[in-house]
């Protein structure tokens, strides 16, 4: 079967290339990722990548990965063209997809091209990637910081020297760099107040630790502010701080629910952490929304609502709008040749579904 499996991998990669053909230098899945996805060996995955490279669809950089080859631009054109680089953490989410769409929509209309690079925090911290991009003539950089972002000195030096750099979704603490983010404080405050408005007396919060990122710290602040302004007492036991790397997420959530049975409203993360909550609720025998109303942060489940035990009410960030404003800010800096520090906050929407009562 492995004799033909590489062709299946090749078709899968060609589909990705077709979907992202206008994004030169888009990073493709690694050999390891492909081997895991198709339950095969790295050798089989490598064969598919090698054939695509030989056909001119992709190019490969040792230690960095495989990328979609520019369809029309040569290296010389790249160095003199209008290119914006977007640095993203190596994560997949609906929010990131809409963020990219927003950036592309603006840049494409202004004759600029978008280069997307997905890198792990460790790779970006220690690499010479930033300086290599600058050598190629990149006009500006849009950055989605990783958690506890520790970006290398090249990026920080660029920002300090007023090179066009804009952060999206979150910022770096104590650094004066332009950013376009959701109003994380306001959106969580709004969600908690909605639960209060539905009659919830005791609202809990399953959150990543505050030190994880500035956006998390702002969300926790919004949770606290909602309680203060509505004369509600915050019990320490009502907040569960949970790292996404914790291997015992479901067990810890279950214990949290069982130890706080009087919680009748809950704010929690979606994505993988949300799935752990779904299972913990089932094990604890808690009915939603009859016994507990829940609002998830980020609307990540819209594609498979029918597969879930209940359709979740979510805080939906306006990823496309954040991307659009970030791109406009970068273009303004490039065109005026003057970089100022601007902090732009974008509102969010609460999409009500089955997990909150009417």
């Amino acid at each position: 079967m492995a004799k033909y499996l590489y062709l299946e991998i090749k078709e899968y990669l060609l589909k990705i290339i077709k979907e992202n053909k206008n994004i030169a230098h888009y990073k493709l899945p690694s050999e390891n990722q492909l081997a895991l996805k198709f339950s095969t060996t790295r050798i089989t995955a490598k064969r598919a990548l090698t054939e695509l490279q030989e056909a001119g669809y992709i190019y490969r950089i040792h230690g960095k990965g495989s990328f979609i080859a520019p369809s029309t631009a040569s290296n010389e054109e790249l160095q003199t063209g209008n290119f914006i680089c977007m640095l993203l953490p190596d994560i997949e989410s609906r929010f990131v997809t809409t963020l990219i769409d927003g950036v592309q929509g603006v840049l494409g209309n202004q004759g600029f091209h978008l280069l997307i690079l997905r890198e792990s925090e460790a790779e970006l911290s220690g690499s010479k990637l930033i300086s290599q991009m600058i050598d190629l003539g990149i006009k500006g950089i849009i950055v989605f910081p990783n958690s506890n972002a520790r970006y290398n000195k090249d990026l920080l030096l660029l920002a300090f020297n007023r090179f066009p750099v804009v952060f999206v979704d979150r910022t770096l603490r104590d650094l004066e760099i332009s950013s376009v983010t959701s109003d994380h404080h306001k959106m969580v405050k709004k969600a908690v107040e909605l639960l209060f408005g539905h009659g919830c007396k005791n609202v809990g919060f399953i959150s990543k630790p505050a030190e994880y990122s500035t956006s998390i710290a702002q969300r926790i602040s919004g949770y606290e502010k909602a309680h203060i302004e509505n004369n509600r007492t915050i019990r320490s036991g009502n907040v569960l701080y949970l790292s996404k790397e914790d291997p015992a997420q479901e067990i810890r959530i279950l214990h949290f629910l069982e130890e706080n049975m009087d919680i009748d409203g809950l704010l929690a993360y979606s994505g993988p952490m949300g799935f752990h909550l779904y299972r913990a609720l089932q094990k604890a025998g808690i009915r939603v929304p009859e016994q507990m109303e829940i609002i998830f942060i980020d609307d990540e489940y819209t594609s498979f609502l029918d597969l879930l035990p209940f359709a979740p009410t979510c805080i939906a960030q306006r990823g496309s709008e954040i991307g659009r404003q970030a791109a406009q800010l970068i273009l303004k800096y490039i065109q005026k040749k003057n970089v100022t520090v601007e902090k732009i906050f974008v509102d969010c929407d609460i999409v009500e579904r089955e997990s909150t009562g009417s």
Side-chain angles (χ1 to χ4, degrees), residues 241-287:
Y241 293 109
L242 193 62
S243 168
K244 68 177 184 178
E245 292 82 17
D246 190 331
Q249 289 185 45
E250 186 175 327
I251 294 173
R252 291 195 59 197
I253 292 173
L254 179 59
H255 289 167
F256 170 74
L257 296 175
E258 292 175 339
E259 292 170 3
N260 298 277
M261 294 300 290
D262 57 345
I263 288 179
D264 54 3
L266 183 64
L267 190 66
Y269 280 84
S270 58
M273 194 178 291
F275 286 123
H276 291 302
L277 174 59
Y278 271 112
R279 288 192 289 267
L281 288 165
Q282 289 179 320
K283 290 180 180 179
I286 296 174
R287 300 190 309 278

Side-chain angles (χ1 to χ4, degrees), residues 26-30 49 58-61 64-68:
Y26 183 92
K27 190 174 182 180
L28 296 166
S30 67
L49 288 165
I58 68 173
Y59 66 94
R60 312 185 74 187
I61 300 176
K64 291 297 177 186
S66 302
F67 304 84
I68 297 177

Side-chain angles (χ1 to χ4, degrees), residues 7 37 49 52 80 91 94 125 127 213 263 271 289 300 343:
L7 293 174
K37 180 177 180 62
L49 288 165
L52 289 174
T80 59
I91 59 174
R94 184 170 179 267
S125 297
S127 75
S213 71
I263 288 179
E300 295 289 338
K343 306 288 185 180

Side-chain angles (χ1 to χ4, degrees), residues 176-196:
E176 289 300 308
I177 299 175
S178 293
S179 62
V180 182
T181 72
S182 293
D183 192 334
H184 297 284
H185 174 96
K186 180 180 177 181
M187 73 184 197
V188 167
K189 181 174 177 291
K190 184 192 296 186
V192 174
E193 290 176 340
L194 185 146
L195 293 172
F196 287 157

Side-chain angles (χ1 to χ4, degrees), residues 173 207-213 216-217 220 240-244:
R173 291 181 176 90
S207 172
K208 299 168 189 173
E211 60 270 17
Y212 190 82
S213 71
I216 304 301
I220 294 171
L240 172 64
Y241 293 109
L242 193 62
S243 168
K244 68 177 184 178

